[in-house]
Amino acid sequence: MGEKKRTTAKMATTVIESMMDAVVVTDLEGRITQFNKALTEYFGWGKEVMGELLTIFVAERDIPKVMDGIKECIEKGFLRNLECTGLTKDKKEVPVLLNVKLLREPKGNLTGMIAVARDITELKRAEEELRKRAVIIDSTIDAVITLDLKGNIISYNKGAEMMYGYTAKEMIGKSITTIYPKEEPPELEKIIGVLLKGKKISGMEATVEHKNKELITSLVSLAPIKDEKGKVIEIVGIAHDITELKRVEKSLRKRTHDLSERVKELNCLYGISDFVEKPGTSLEEILQGTVDLIPPAWRYPVITCARIIVEGKEYKTKNFKETVWRQASDIVVRGERVGAVEVCYLEERPERAEGPFLKEERSLINSIAKRMEEIIEYKRAEEKQLELRDEIWERIDREKKLAVAAAAADKARLEEVEKARKAIEERAQKLEKSRSAMIYLLKDMDQARKELEHSYEDLKALDRLKDEFIAMSAHELKTPLTSMLSLSQQMSGKELGGLTEKQEKALRIISRGGERLRGTVEKILEISRLESGRMELCKEKLQPSSLIQAVAARMKTVAELKKVSLTQEIPELPPVEVDGGRVSTVLTNLIENAIKFTSRGGNVTVEARQRGDRILVQVRDTGMGIAKKDLPQIFTKFFQVDHTKSGAGLGLSICKRLVEAHGGEIWCESGLGKGSTFSFTLPLKVYSII
């Protein structure tokens, strides 16, 4: 029996010595009675630990924790996986995992304890490394998502929560297709198939849907995760939000397109300058060449056609056709309208700043019209020079003939004639040089035009200050004027006592003057509201015929008082959506003016008809008419024709602004002694510019 115990003890010692972990055996008091080589190898302790307490190789701060563990061991019979700090012989701290078990004799008597301490330094280092990586992944603004091989989400970092709006709790276990728009699901099986072959996918653009339904563009990279045998077990994906980058790219593309449009416009203007600078180019060639340069400068060159009309003669592109999608600018030379530049689209295009046209195209067509004005004026001057040169050459020829006839009789006179001929030729050469100088003068005129434009902007600012002052003054006048008229009415009604005949006559003069002044104040306030954009149109669907007939009926009494015939020719017309009050104001002004400037026995006719997609209204009179030189200015604020110096000169300006506010046009055809016809249009489809 004793031999058996010795054999068992020897086997136990062999087992303890072969263990990789440090093993210590203690008695019932916890004093060390046996230890293995691993204790020496890992912790440096040797025979000096014999008889010492188990806590000799435990850091002082962890001794209470170990003692509590030993108590637990005594109660339960074992202590498992207690993390504590071990202490080497040279006082170096080492993280260890401690396991303790009670030792008993075969009869069950307690003989001591056996403690196994495992160095977990590498394990702790690996855990720390994993912790750092987890912190890095969670702190990145990019979305980092781990998927299983079916595309279900295993992990989901903070960056993903911020990017997609879903929390990790909401997403883990769900398919990655959850964040994709339903109408654009990803080819998940195809993508996983590529990754299962061990390949990576980099720089893949994907459009996903935020929790709030907003679309996000991201740049995605996917890589397979393999086990120690090289088998793909999971997939990791990193997504970077490039939505803002895409927006910037789109904005940059738009700016590049806009710049190319401006380059086309400059090419058009430079092309016109090239025509002018080329010697011997006629006005007709310049006008036709300019027409051909216009389509490439507009937004849709393929469907663009153009025409220039000068003094009744047309110059147009081969495909020219007048359409409703039209843009035009008048050519005015020395205050006289001599023609116009017109641009039309052959097909409908989306609405822009001016119908389908860009606001820059309005500026361009005005610039082209301005250049045509300068070129026409220059060519007229050039023609006069040529006429003068021809006249000079005719004179030279006459002088030559006279000189030849007189040569035999008077050689001296012939010499004088020759001198005169040379002088005339020199003058002709100077005239030819002046032609070249005119080209440079034209360039100087262009520079002067730009300077005038700057001055014009300054004048506009002053004009705006003037308008503000006038509007403010009108407001200040309105209240006392209203009070004055109210008192006049009370006095005329004898509410404030009786008046003499002379006082009543003077009061009537005051009342008429006050009413005229109030009308002027109202017009000033109306034009102020129009220019400041504070007036809103109250549009409603109305029958034009009913609206026009109602105004004509009101004005019939005024016509009868002046013995003027007022007739109307109004057929049934399609309804328009307009501000009835504003259109009535326009009609009232035009009919009132027609009656005012038509002599007794004259006629005023109001007509209306449909013309294309517009309603055309005309007020025709047999009055004194308007001089052609005044026609371009009659719709200007405060302008009055010489023979009509009455009123404030605001009525026609208000009419023009109200018509244009409805998307229409207004114009006048007249001549002295020929009567006047005022016309305006209302589009069947209205575009308000107020």
Side-chain angles (χ1 to χ4, degrees):
M1 190 68 181
E3 185 63 30
K4 186 176 180 181
K5 284 184 179 181
R6 282 194 296 273
T7 301
T8 302
K10 188 174 181 180
M11 288 176 62
T13 300
T14 301
V15 171
I16 290 172
E17 286 297 335
S18 65
M19 290 180 68
M20 299 294 292
D21 297 328
V23 180
V24 175
V25 180
T26 70
D27 58 17
L28 291 175
E29 294 179 355
R31 295 187 183 278
I32 299 171
T33 59
Q34 187 180 351
F35 64 91
N36 67 348
K37 291 179 181 179
L39 183 66
T40 303
E41 290 174 0
Y42 296 141
F43 298 98
W45 295 103
K47 293 181 179 180
E48 63 271 13
V49 300
M50 295 295 290
E52 297 292 337
L53 290 173
L54 175 64
T55 54
I56 190 172
F57 56 86
V58 177
E60 186 175 351
R61 66 177 178 278
D62 280 358
I63 289 176
K65 180 165 68 171
V66 172
M67 294 304 294
D68 288 341
I70 290 173
K71 289 179 182 178
E72 182 183 338
C73 177
I74 293 170
E75 292 174 359
K76 296 182 178 179
F78 59 86
L79 172 65
R80 291 178 181 167
N81 299 330
L82 175 67
E83 282 192 25
C84 62
T85 305
L87 199 63
T88 65
K89 185 176 180 180
D90 56 2
K91 306 302 182 184
K92 181 181 176 182
E93 293 186 349
V94 179
V96 298
L97 197 65
L98 187 63
N99 284 276
V100 183
K101 185 172 177 58
L102 295 179
L103 294 176
R104 297 179 183 275
E105 291 181 340
K107 294 181 179 181
N109 295 326
L110 187 62
T111 61
M113 293 178 288
I114 181 169
V116 180
R118 176 173 293 174
D119 183 352
I120 57 172
T121 303
E122 290 302 321
L123 179 62
K124 285 292 183 181
R125 187 177 294 114
E127 287 180 352
E128 180 64 18
E129 184 66 24
L130 287 173
R131 188 189 66 79
K132 288 180 180 178
R133 290 185 182 181
V135 169
I136 291 171
I137 289 172
D138 259 356
S139 62
T140 182
I141 60 172
D142 290 339
V144 181
I145 301 174
T146 307
L147 309 174
D148 63 19
L149 298 183
K150 292 182 179 180
N152 296 320
I153 298 172
I154 299 171
S155 68
Y156 186 88
N157 74 334
K158 295 289 184 183
E161 290 184 342
M162 290 188 292
M163 188 179 296
Y164 305 128
Y166 295 98
T167 64
K169 185 177 179 181
E170 291 175 298
M171 295 302 293
I172 289 176
K174 291 185 179 179
S175 172
I176 190 65
T177 57
T178 303
I179 61 173
Y180 282 83
K182 292 180 180 178
E183 61 275 10
E184 296 181 24
E187 297 180 348
L188 193 58
E189 291 183 4
K190 184 177 178 181
I191 292 171
I192 292 175
V194 172
L195 294 167
L196 285 173
K197 294 177 182 178
K199 297 180 181 180
K200 296 180 180 179
I201 298 175
S202 300
M204 179 178 68
E205 279 194 21
T207 300
V208 297
E209 193 173 66
H210 191 275
K211 187 176 181 180
N212 63 9
K213 303 303 179 184
E214 178 184 349
L215 294 179
I216 299 167
T217 303
S218 57
L219 200 61
V220 179
S221 293
L222 299 168
I225 300 175
K226 301 177 182 179
D227 61 14
E228 63 274 6
K229 295 180 181 179
K231 182 181 178 182
V232 177
I233 55 173
E234 292 177 357
I235 299 167
V236 63
I238 300 175
H240 181 69
D241 189 348
I242 58 170
T243 306
E244 182 62 19
L245 178 62
K246 285 292 182 182
R247 186 193 65 77
V248 172
E249 285 180 357
K250 183 178 179 182
S251 174
L252 183 59
R253 284 196 298 272
K254 182 180 182 302
R255 291 186 181 184
T256 302
H257 176 268
D258 291 345
L259 180 60
S260 67
E261 292 296 317
R262 303 297 81 73
V263 169
K264 291 196 298 184
E265 294 167 7
L266 289 173
N267 286 339
C268 178
L269 295 176
Y270 286 141
I272 296 171
S273 297
D274 288 341
F275 282 129
V276 175
E277 293 174 6
K278 187 177 179 180
T281 308
S282 67
L283 177 60
E284 289 75 13
E285 290 172 330
I286 292 172
L287 292 173
Q288 185 59 51
T290 300
V291 164
D292 294 334
L293 286 171
I294 288 175
W298 258 249
R299 184 175 179 86
Y300 307 107
V302 176
I303 62 164
T304 301
C305 59
R307 175 173 66 179
I308 295 178
I309 303 173
V310 175
E311 296 178 336
K313 190 173 181 181
E314 289 187 350
Y315 305 86
K316 56 189 179 182
T317 55
K318 292 180 180 179
N319 65 338
F320 183 80
K321 179 182 177 183
E322 191 169 354
T323 68
V324 295
W325 309 291
R326 174 179 174 273
Q327 194 176 39
S329 183
D330 289 341
I331 300 174
V332 180
V333 178
R334 295 186 179 276
E336 180 183 358
R337 184 183 182 277
V338 298
V341 181
E342 299 177 355
V343 177
C344 295
Y345 280 156
L346 300 173
E347 299 175 9
E348 186 175 6
R349 283 295 180 268
E351 291 298 316
R352 300 285 181 182
E354 186 177 323
F357 299 100
L358 303 171
K359 65 178 181 180
E360 291 85 2
E361 290 169 345
R362 163 50 60 190
S363 175
L364 178 57
I365 197 171
N366 287 342
S367 297
I368 293 172
K370 188 68 178 176
R371 293 303 300 273
M372 294 301 101
E373 294 167 9
E374 295 166 355
I375 292 167
I376 291 168
E377 191 168 5
Y378 164 70
K379 284 296 181 181
R380 284 179 175 177
E382 189 179 57
E383 287 173 2
K384 289 182 180 179
Q385 284 183 345
L386 292 173
E387 289 173 4
L388 180 59
R389 188 180 69 178
D390 292 342
E391 184 181 333
I392 290 170
W393 282 112
E394 287 176 7
R395 183 177 176 184
I396 290 171
D397 287 340
R398 287 195 303 270
E399 292 292 337
K400 277 184 177 180
K401 290 175 182 178
L402 289 172
V404 170
D410 192 354
K411 185 178 179 180
R413 179 168 176 78
L414 182 60
E415 290 175 353
E416 290 294 327
V417 171
E418 184 64 21
K419 288 180 182 178
R421 184 187 67 77
K422 289 180 179 179
I424 291 171
E425 285 182 347
E426 288 176 1
R427 185 179 176 189
Q429 289 173 357
K430 288 180 180 179
L431 285 172
E432 184 64 27
K433 289 180 180 178
S434 69
R435 178 185 171 281
S436 299
M438 282 293 289
I439 292 174
Y440 293 103
L441 179 61
L442 186 61
K443 292 180 179 179
D444 292 340
M445 286 173 65
D446 190 52
Q447 179 63 32
R449 178 180 63 77
K450 292 178 181 177
E451 292 174 0
L452 282 172
E453 286 177 354
H454 288 302
S455 300
Y456 174 67
E457 291 299 324
D458 294 339
L459 286 173
K460 280 206 304 187
L462 290 173
D463 189 56
R464 187 168 58 254
L465 290 173
K466 178 203 72 178
D467 291 344
E468 291 174 358
F469 173 75
I470 291 173
M472 182 180 68
S473 300
H475 275 291
E476 292 297 323
L477 282 170
K478 187 173 182 180
T479 301
L481 184 60
T482 302
S483 301
M484 183 185 78
L485 290 173
S486 177
L487 287 171
S488 296
Q489 290 174 357
Q490 292 178 23
M491 291 174 69
S492 63
K494 299 182 181 181
E495 297 175 14
L496 302 177
L499 299 173
T500 66
E501 185 178 345
K502 287 184 178 181
Q503 288 172 334
E504 287 181 352
K505 183 177 181 181
L507 186 61
R508 285 195 296 274
I509 293 171
I510 290 171
S511 295
R512 286 197 297 273
E515 288 296 338
R516 284 199 299 274
L517 182 57
R518 179 159 64 179
T520 301
V521 168
E522 287 296 336
K523 287 180 179 179
I524 290 172
L525 291 175
E526 181 77 354
I527 202 78
S528 174
R529 285 191 290 268
L530 284 165
E531 290 183 341
S532 65
R534 290 183 287 105
M535 190 195 78
E536 294 184 0
L537 296 179
C538 300
K539 293 181 288 184
E540 55 183 332
K541 188 173 287 187
L542 298 172
Q543 284 290 341
S545 50
S546 301
L547 182 64
I548 297 168
Q549 288 166 358
V551 175
R554 289 201 304 273
M555 298 305 298
K556 196 166 185 66
T557 303
V558 178
E560 290 172 350
L561 288 173
K562 199 175 176 185
K563 307 299 182 183
V564 172
S565 171
L566 176 60
T567 59
Q568 44 183 304
E569 298 177 13
I570 316 294
E572 282 299 320
L573 297 168
V576 290
E577 191 176 349
V578 295
D579 185 326
R582 302 297 182 186
V583 175
S584 294
T585 298
V586 175
L587 274 168
T588 301
N589 265 297
L590 297 181
I591 297 173
E592 188 176 45
N593 280 351
I595 295 170
K596 181 178 179 181
F597 298 114
T598 299
S599 302
R600 287 174 175 269
N603 297 313
V604 175
T605 304
V606 183
E607 299 177 350
R609 64 180 180 275
Q610 183 176 353
R611 190 172 73 176
D613 63 345
R614 294 170 179 265
I615 298 298
L616 173 66
V617 182
Q618 294 183 307
V619 178
R620 185 179 292 109
D621 65 58
T622 59
M624 61 187 72
I626 302 169
K628 285 189 176 181
K629 67 181 181 65
D630 292 329
L631 284 175
Q633 304 178 70
I634 59 174
F635 294 104
T636 305
K637 284 188 305 182
F638 307 115
F639 178 79
Q640 294 175 306
V641 178
D642 292 339
H643 59 266
T644 62
K645 297 295 185 180
S646 63
L650 292 173
L652 289 179
S653 178
I654 291 172
C655 289
K656 184 176 187 295
R657 292 180 178 274
L658 288 174
V659 170
E660 289 177 348
H662 284 82
E665 296 178 282
I666 186 169
W667 66 93
C668 175
E669 299 169 288
S670 184
L672 284 177
K674 297 180 180 179
S676 302
T677 300
F678 281 83
S679 307
F680 68 91
T681 62
L682 295 172
L684 293 175
K685 186 177 181 182
V686 179
Y687 304 94
S688 176
I689 59 172
I690 291 187

